Amino acid sequence: MGFEYEKIKNWPIPEGHQDYTANDCILYALSVGAGAGDPAADLNLIYEKKLEVLPTMAVTMASQGTMWVADPATGIDLSKLLHGEQYLTIHKPLPVKGTVKSRSYVQEIYDKGVEKGSVMMLAREISDADSGELLATCTSAVFLRGNGGCGGPTSGQPVPQPIPERAPDAVIDAISREEQAALYRLTGDTNPLHIDPKFAAMGGFPKPILHGLCTYGFAARAVISAVCDGNPARLRKFNLRFASPVFPGETLRTEIWNEGEGKAAFRTFVVERELLVLNNGYAEFDPA
């Protein structure tokens, strides 16, 4: 079946639910590198007696994933689908335990033309299941390179955050572990691309790659350290564009610019390959 703008724009995505505990929060923090090198520096993320939640954990919560796009009725060309950008707004710091629900919907589909494909903005609102209070909104920009000419709007897509031309105000290095992807899979993303060498080879990679959202969490830890004095509750927005894949075991270097008024720009490189992997990063945070 063909890809139709109105059909996908109004596709019914099931509501998500998740119970989680302090152990889940600690597991997420460990899966994005907390505690590596100097555990004392991350005690607030990995020690249950003084636990705070990394806000980027929201991208893993109550997710129905994008498995619905595999339904042949969507007409989506899965072989040309790419997770290109990730946006996160934190409305209230995540509790260390609780039950959450999610409402997912296709926010918009921007048509880039038959040859270039389209960009689907897929949003997920995460709320406390008991009170209904909105905790976070996660939005993914999914590039549908095989589904251009769908009839959606041709303009209005969010503009990437420019990176300042001056030297960064902070540079933070973090080494990912060889088993980082295997650990991150325990947060819910079980795509074999990140664990199975044969599957990775089918995708053209010499070995399994790290989840993009794992690298996203590494960058968030760096930004929180640099501009939020290590206090995750101060982070309010965290947006970026994925540029290149990372292999487990590589060193991630995040460059951060404090833009004033509770705003920061950032990007992340793999040191060993001198390769840009996260770009156009933008964060908002509560000033001290």
Side-chain angles (χ1 to χ4, degrees), residues 16-20 61-62 94 98-102 126-129 135:
H17 290 267
Q18 181 180 343
D19 297 318
Y20 71 99
M61 300 176 76
L94 301 174
T99 301
V100 292
K101 63 180 180 180
S102 68
I126 301 166
S127 304
D128 182 275
L135 301 175

Side-chain angles (χ1 to χ4, degrees), residues 29-104:
L30 292 171
S31 79
V32 295
D38 182 9
D42 292 320
L43 274 183
N44 63 323
L45 303 177
I46 60 176
Y47 185 30
E48 66 277 5
K49 290 189 177 180
K50 51 175 66 179
L51 190 62
E52 297 176 286
V53 184
L54 269 173
T56 49
M57 180 177 168
V59 302
T60 73
M61 300 176 76
S63 174
Q64 295 299 306
T66 55
M67 293 309 296
W68 62 271
V69 303
D71 186 332
T74 66
I76 292 174
D77 185 346
L78 290 178
S79 68
K80 296 182 179 180
L81 181 150
L82 179 68
H83 185 181
E85 299 172 1
Q86 184 65 46
Y87 303 82
L88 172 65
T89 299
I90 295 293
H91 305 286
K92 182 179 180 181
L94 301 174
V96 299
K97 63 178 180 179
T99 301
V100 292
K101 63 180 180 180
S102 68
R103 182 178 77 93
S104 297

Side-chain angles (χ1 to χ4, degrees), residues 91 141 216 229 236:
H91 305 286
Y216 179 83
D229 297 320
R236 287 289 172 261

Side-chain angles (χ1 to χ4, degrees), residues 275-288:
L275 179 68
L276 181 66
V277 294
L278 301 177
N279 200 12
N280 305 111
Y282 173 74
E284 290 183 8
F285 55 95
D286 291 335

Side-chain angles (χ1 to χ4, degrees), residues 65-272:
T66 55
M67 293 309 296
W68 62 271
V69 303
D71 186 332
T74 66
I76 292 174
D77 185 346
L78 290 178
S79 68
K80 296 182 179 180
L81 181 150
L82 179 68
H83 185 181
E85 299 172 1
Q86 184 65 46
Y87 303 82
L88 172 65
T89 299
I90 295 293
H91 305 286
K92 182 179 180 181
L94 301 174
V96 299
K97 63 178 180 179
T99 301
V100 292
K101 63 180 180 180
S102 68
R103 182 178 77 93
S104 297
Y105 56 95
V106 175
Q107 195 175 66
E108 191 53 274
I109 306 168
Y110 297 100
D111 191 353
K112 301 300 180 181
V114 175
E115 305 234 340
K116 293 185 178 180
S118 59
V119 178
M120 177 172 66
M121 304 299 293
L122 181 62
R124 184 168 84 255
E125 296 175 349
I126 301 166
S127 304
D128 182 275
D130 295 324
S131 68
E133 185 174 23
L134 183 62
L135 301 175
T137 301
C138 310
T139 304
S140 301
V142 182
F143 296 163
L144 305 177
R145 294 171 294 170
N147 295 110
C150 66
T154 58
S155 62
Q157 185 179 347
V159 177
Q161 168 73 19
I163 295 296
E165 296 184 2
R166 61 185 173 86
D169 298 306
V171 177
I172 295 178
D173 286 358
I175 299 174
S176 64
R177 301 172 65 93
E178 291 289 345
E179 68 274 21
Q180 203 75 58
L183 185 59
Y184 189 84
R185 291 180 83 248
L186 300 179
T187 67
D189 187 338
T190 57
N191 187 333
L193 178 63
H194 308 293
I195 193 72
D196 187 336
K198 291 182 179 179
F199 195 90
M202 291 171 58
F205 299 105
K207 61 180 181 178
I209 62 174
L210 196 60
H211 304 69
L213 287 178
C214 181
T215 308
Y216 179 83
F218 268 83
R221 288 180 47 245
V223 170
I224 289 168
S225 175
V227 301
C228 299
D229 297 320
N231 181 359
R234 289 176 57 190
L235 192 67
R236 287 289 172 261
K237 286 184 181 290
F238 199 72
N239 307 336
L240 54 76
R241 172 171 287 187
F242 297 107
S244 296
V246 174
F247 295 107
E250 292 185 314
T251 305
L252 297 168
R253 174 169 293 165
T254 300
E255 299 178 338
I256 302 148
W257 291 262
N258 193 331
E259 299 282 72
E261 299 181 349
K263 299 177 182 179
F266 65 93
R267 63 186 176 190
T268 301
F269 292 84
V270 162
V271 173
E272 291 84 355

